[in-house]
Each structure stands twice: as structure tokens, then as C-alpha cells.
Amino acid sequence: MRASTQTQRTNLRRGALALACAASLAALPACSLGPVDLDALMGNGTSVAEAKAAARAARSTTLTADELHTAGTLTVGLLSSESAPLLLSSADEGLDVDVAYALADELGVDCAFVSVTGLSDAYDACDVVMGVRAGDDADTAVAGSYAEDAMALFSRASSGTKATAADLAGKTVGVQAGSVSQRALASAGTRAAEQDFTNLNEAFAALEAGTVDYVLCGAYPGGYLAAVYDGISCVGTLAQPAYLGVGVKAENNTLFSKVLEAMDVVSSNGVLDVLRGRWVGGMSRLDTTSVIDGIQQADANVDEQADADVEADADAGAGTEAGTASTSTDAA
């Protein structure tokens, strides 16, 4: 898989580049267009490949060889327990990967990936680790945030709608049997009826068909699936989300400062919004205002990573919440 993929690709990434091109073409006046020749569109004889090579040659970095495992390359750790859409198990794809490329772009270096099982010895093999929460490891500092970890509720509602505990009373909530979501619903005091499904695909299909009123699952797996169903959106979380960022060895202060600065740029210049849109569609960032009013639960955000085998590896297509959305790759 990705155990040590030295994929030193130019970091003008496919997702952001494709979306940027699409946005540019969409802005053109209405007309009849045949196949677009990007080389001709750029004019003055410069090909796309040449433009990429020129951009790569022109970049600069403040990272020194002493700060990196491999000079000129940011070696990124991908947690083996991570799940879609943060990481697809079948390939080096997912939000974690796209954000890592964007981070490396901003730092002016190439990007390579290694698989890590945890944080305790991860930095022996890599410079940074994706998908880390503050407090996960005492020896890790977390730079920025690009995703949220929360149990979220989805319904047939327009974007921006927020549910309340009163809305849930007497309604039917779909969950995957045996999942963290099922346990969270049972302890949330919602007065809602539970309906179990084998996997999240079935639950979201039932939601779209109107046979259940809500689906409860991890926010990002849910957003990944909701993007391919009509009229389904996130209507709140059971508790305050935790934030996922880029882990750096705490004692490496210089690298941490540079990664933090680069993440601030990626977050503020629109790149992160484009990347999130690729994987979770129009789902808004989650924060304290996302918490459903009236939910009485001390800690509804059960540690999803500990249950990733049942909760969220949505690309495996194995029919569980840990292997749900083989069809949901269209969300990208």
C-alpha cells in the first residue's frame, strides 16, 4: 500500500488544479466550446508541463537539510488507523494526502509518505504526521487544523439547518449496528427511535428515501456520503468537535513554526476550502455552534480512531461503516 511510497510528485495537485481550471472555464461567457487545448490556452508556446517545471524550479524553501529526514522532501506520516475521507485505504488519496501536498507546496519542498501506526515512534520515520488532535501525544505539537472529529447528525435539510433535541423526539435515527454511533445515540438521551443498518450506504439510502428521519455517524464519513445524495446535509453534532491538524515533534520548534505558518497560509488563501470541498462537498466547518441544543451527553465524541475498523473506512466497500462508500468516491 503506502508503507513507504516515495512519491515525489510535483505538488501542483490534481484536485486543486482541476477545480481551479474548471472554475476558470466556468467564468467564461456562454459559448460553444470544443475540447479545450490547455497548451494553446496558455499561449506564447508554453506547455502545461513546461509551466509546472518552471513553477517547481522557481519555488524556494526555508527548510534546511537538518530539519528534514530527506533534504528537499517533507516526509509525511499517514496514520494506518485513519479512514475515509481523510485517507482511502486503497491508495494514497484522501483529505490528509491533499492537505499534505498543499503544505509541502507552501513550504517549497517535495512530498513523500510513510505509514505510521502511532505517534510514539512516528518521528523516527517522518517529519510530520497528519490527522493529529491536541493532547493525542505529550511529545507532539499540533500545527493548524483542517478537519473536525465529531459524531454528527444528517438529515434531509438545506445546508445551514440545525437540529435541536426537541426535533429528534419521536423521530427515527439510522445508525450502523455495532458502531460507535450506535453507542453514542443510546447515551445521548434524544428520545428518538433507533434503526440499525449493516452499513452507512444503506442508512443514507434510507434517509434519502424518507424511511428514516436522521442518520448519526462520524462527521467526515457522513459528509463524504452526503455529497453524493440529493438534499442531505449535516444538521449538528452531539458534542463539541475535536480538531485535526499536523503533528510535529514537540522539541522541533523551528520545524513546527514553519509548518504552522504554512498551514495558516493554506487555511486563509482558499486552498483548504477547495480541498475540503473535494471530499465533503459543501459541509461547513464544525465548531462549538454546531452542537445540537438540548443533548445531554458529557462526551458524545467517542474516540473514533479506536473504532476505525467499524466506524469510518468508507472506501473499502466491505459493507460496514468501516467499509461503506464504494460508490461515494464520486464525492470527489
Side-chain angles (χ1 to χ4, degrees):
M1 184 197 151
R2 56 180 178 273
S4 181
T5 50
Q6 289 290 326
T7 49
Q8 297 182 349
R9 308 166 191 160
T10 298
N11 299 327
L12 297 172
R13 283 294 285 158
R14 59 190 184 277
L17 181 60
L19 287 171
C21 289
S24 298
L25 291 174
L28 292 174
C31 60
S32 176
L33 289 175
V36 177
D37 183 342
L38 290 178
D39 288 340
L41 192 63
M42 294 186 69
N44 58 34
T46 302
S47 70
V48 172
E50 288 169 338
K52 284 184 177 181
R56 185 175 186 182
R59 70 186 183 183
S60 61
T61 182
T62 61
L63 292 174
T64 66
D66 292 340
E67 294 168 336
L68 300 170
H69 278 72
T70 302
T73 298
L74 184 71
T75 305
V76 178
L78 300 175
L79 289 165
S80 59
S81 59
E82 198 54 277
S83 51
L86 299 180
L87 186 64
L88 275 63
S89 63
S90 58
D92 284 329
E93 280 196 287
L95 182 59
D96 281 357
V97 173
D98 285 350
V99 173
Y101 274 114
L103 172 62
D105 277 343
E106 188 59 36
L107 291 169
V109 292
D110 290 332
C111 189
F113 298 98
V114 295
S115 179
V116 297
T117 57
L119 295 174
S120 59
D121 57 357
Y123 304 109
D124 293 337
C126 62
D127 305 307
V128 300
V129 179
M130 304 303 293
V132 181
R133 292 171 292 191
D136 276 354
D137 178 64
D139 296 323
T140 294
V142 181
S145 69
Y146 60 89
E148 303 84 49
D149 179 14
M151 285 294 166
L153 202 66
F154 292 82
S155 77
R156 300 181 305 279
S158 57
S159 180
T161 301
K162 184 181 174 185
T164 66
D167 295 331
L168 298 176
K171 300 296 175 61
T172 302
V173 179
V175 295
Q176 181 189 310
S179 69
V180 175
S181 304
Q182 184 182 39
R183 298 197 294 274
L185 179 64
S187 59
T190 62
R191 294 182 294 153
E194 175 188 312
Q195 183 167 338
D196 297 344
F197 293 90
T198 303
N199 56 62
L200 277 184
N201 274 337
E202 291 181 2
F204 272 79
L207 179 59
E208 184 181 46
T211 57
V212 299
D213 301 296
Y214 298 93
V215 169
L216 180 68
C217 60
Y220 273 59
Y224 184 44
L225 274 172
V228 297
Y229 286 92
D230 292 333
I232 293 177
S233 56
C234 177
V235 293
T237 63
L238 294 192
Q240 181 174 335
Y243 298 98
L244 306 181
V246 182
V248 183
K249 193 170 185 178
E251 65 185 36
N252 198 340
N253 295 323
T254 304
L255 179 60
F256 173 78
S257 296
K258 293 175 181 179
V259 170
L260 179 60
E261 182 179 354
M263 284 298 296
D264 286 344
V265 173
V266 169
S267 298
S268 62
N269 65 5
V271 170
L272 181 56
D273 291 336
V274 171
L275 299 181
R276 287 186 74 261
R278 181 184 182 209
W279 295 104
V280 294
M283 189 175 78
S284 300
R285 295 296 298 264
L286 304 173
D287 56 27
T288 56
T289 66
S290 306
V291 181
I292 298 170
D293 296 331
I295 293 292
Q296 297 179 356
Q297 188 168 2
D299 186 11
N301 289 337
V302 186
D303 184 2
E304 291 180 74
Q305 295 309 314
D307 293 88
D309 57 331
V310 276
E311 191 58 36
D313 192 3
D315 64 300
T320 67
E321 196 167 344
T324 55
S326 57
T327 57
S328 70
T329 51
D330 294 337

